[in-house]
């Protein structure tokens, strides 16, 4: 992360994906907590607990990739490996790659998470191709009132309370891995006025946070795209599968940075949602997703299934975990 001259501690909030239409994410929707941004910057975090078995390894870059198999509606394609599906997504050469995940929940600790899979399988393929990685972390400005920060953190916990404990370590690992690959990890820095607005929002605090995350991410991405040393390279945004929608559902327009970043990149924007097959549930939040009615978890269980429901919009469902 950037050296947090104005950050003291990170209050991290990754917005829940798949929230019911018209409302803020429920506590049962897929969501995640995240690590201290200042710890990610300094590399002083303690090592995570023993991880679950690693996910399927990426195929060697030099290996010939067999053609994917059609698997149904919404442009569905079944690939032998997640790496092949990811390479297919990148073929359009996006300037902004906005990755959204379904976050690991409590009880899923034995299954490699989306964050870990992205870090190990996909991030290395972006070395030399991406300049920066915006991770959905908040850095707290020490000038903000401690009472404000504490109240906002309480509101965050209503969304993140059901999440897996290892999520924090894995977001730290993502930041560290990006830095080692020469990709600059970035964080969001809300102003004290942003904290004031969340506190004043009362019962609408979560909605206010969602709008703020989209606004700050868009501003950060636009600033990075304008850097001379980033010319021709991708900017990656990584967070919950809600803010990256290129075509948000009605009522959610202010929660997503997708339309704005798609416009300023002249359509060189890709929305990629990453889904761990074992995390998919029979719930309203999941059923609301456009690919859900077309996905059969019993079909192609050992393949990476890629949906392309709209131009520039993809959902990649990982093979079942071994």
């Amino acid at each position: 992360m950037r050296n947090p001259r104005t950050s003291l501690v990170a209050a991290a909030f990754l917005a829940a994906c798949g929230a019911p239409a018209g409302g803020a994410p429920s506590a049962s929707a897929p969501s995640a907590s995240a690590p201290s941004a200042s710890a990610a910057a300094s590399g002083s975090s303690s090592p995570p607990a023993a991880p679950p078995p690693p996910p399927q390894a990426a195929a060697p870059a030099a290996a010939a990739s067999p053609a994917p198999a059609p698997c149904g509606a919404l442009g569905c394609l079944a690939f032998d490996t997640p790496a092949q599906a990811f390479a297919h997504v990148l073929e359009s050469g996006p300037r902004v790659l906005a990755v959204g995940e379904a976050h690991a929940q409590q009880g899923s600790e034995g299954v490699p998470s989306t964050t870990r899979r992205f870090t190990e399988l996909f991030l290395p393929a972006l070395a030399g191709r991406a300049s920066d990685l915006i991770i959905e972390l908040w850095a707290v400005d020490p000038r903000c009132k401690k009472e404000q920060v504490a109240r906002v953190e309480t509101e965050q916990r209503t969304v993140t309370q059901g999440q897996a404990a290892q999520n924090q370590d894995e977001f730290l690992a993502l930041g560290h891995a990006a830095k080692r690959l020469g990709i600059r990890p970035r964080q969001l820095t809300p102003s004290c006025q942003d904290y004031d607005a969340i506190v004043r929002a009362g019962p609408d605090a979560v909605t206010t946070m969602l709008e703020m995350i989209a606004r700050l991410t868009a501003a950060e991405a636009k600033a990075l795209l304008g850097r001379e040393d980033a010319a021709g390279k991708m900017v990656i945004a990584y967070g919950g599968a809600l803010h990256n929608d290129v075509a948000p559902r009605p009522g959610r327009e202010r929660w997503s940075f997708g339309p704005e970043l798609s416009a300023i990149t002249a359509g060189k924007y890709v929305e990629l949602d990453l889904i761990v097959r074992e995390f998919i549930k029979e719930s309203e939040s999941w059923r609301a997703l456009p690919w859900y009615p077309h996905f059969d978890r019993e079909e192609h269980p050992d393949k990476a299934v890629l949906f392309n429901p709209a131009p520039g919009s993809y959902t990649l469902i990982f093979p079942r975990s071994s």
Side-chain angles (χ1 to χ4, degrees), residues 20-308:
S26 63
S28 60
S31 57
S33 60
S36 161
S38 56
S42 63
S44 61
S45 61
S46 57
Q56 181 179 355
S65 298
C71 51
L74 303 183
C76 184
L77 295 172
F79 292 82
D80 286 345
T81 68
Q84 292 167 3
F86 187 59
H88 180 82
V89 170
L90 296 180
E91 285 179 358
S92 63
R95 285 300 316 281
V96 174
L97 175 65
V99 182
E101 66 163 44
H103 309 307
Q105 302 294 292
Q106 290 179 5
S108 66
E109 287 78 7
V111 177
S113 70
T114 312
T115 311
R116 185 177 174 200
R117 294 170 197 247
F118 178 81
T119 302
E120 297 180 357
L121 302 182
F122 297 161
L123 190 63
L126 297 170
R129 304 175 67 178
S131 62
D132 299 88
L133 169 65
I134 306 169
I135 305 177
E136 198 175 297
L137 301 176
W138 298 12
V140 179
D141 189 329
R143 294 171 295 184
C144 298
K145 297 177 181 177
K146 293 181 180 180
E147 295 81 3
Q148 292 173 318
V149 174
R151 290 179 64 179
V152 171
E153 289 175 345
T154 298
E155 294 292 344
Q156 292 171 347
R157 283 193 290 272
T158 66
V159 178
T160 62
Q161 59 187 354
Q163 297 159 10
Q166 79 268 15
N167 289 348
Q168 295 191 15
D169 284 323
E170 290 180 348
F171 268 82
L172 279 169
L174 174 57
H176 289 315
K179 191 172 183 179
R180 287 194 298 270
L181 291 169
I183 302 171
R184 292 177 293 239
R186 305 282 179 170
Q187 61 196 9
L188 306 179
T189 307
S191 67
C192 298
Q193 288 75 21
D194 288 323
Y195 277 92
D196 283 337
I198 294 168
V199 170
R200 290 196 306 269
D204 295 323
V206 172
T207 298
T208 302
M209 284 189 266
L210 296 176
E211 294 175 355
M212 184 199 71
I213 291 169
R215 171 173 51 82
L216 294 180
T217 304
E220 181 79 359
K222 287 188 292 185
L224 295 172
L225 288 168
R227 290 172 56 111
E228 291 184 5
D229 61 346
K233 291 189 175 182
M234 274 183 282
V235 170
I236 311 161
Y238 192 95
L242 175 67
H243 299 296
N244 64 338
D245 291 350
V246 69
R249 281 185 274 171
R252 294 186 175 188
E253 293 86 354
R254 292 172 61 87
W255 299 0
S256 177
F257 50 75
E260 182 178 2
L261 294 183
S262 181
I264 69 166
T265 58
K268 302 293 283 183
Y269 174 92
V270 164
E271 164 199 350
L272 173 61
D273 291 340
L274 300 178
I275 308 294
V276 173
R277 189 176 294 245
E278 288 84 354
F279 294 175
I280 301 172
K281 306 296 182 185
E282 288 283 348
S283 68
E284 179 183 356
S285 296
W286 285 101
R287 287 191 293 267
L289 300 174
W291 52 267
Y292 185 90
H294 308 286
F295 175 69
D296 184 344
R297 72 179 67 220
E298 301 304 321
E299 288 191 20
H300 310 293
D302 299 319
K303 302 284 187 179
V305 174
L306 183 70
F307 288 102
N308 183 197

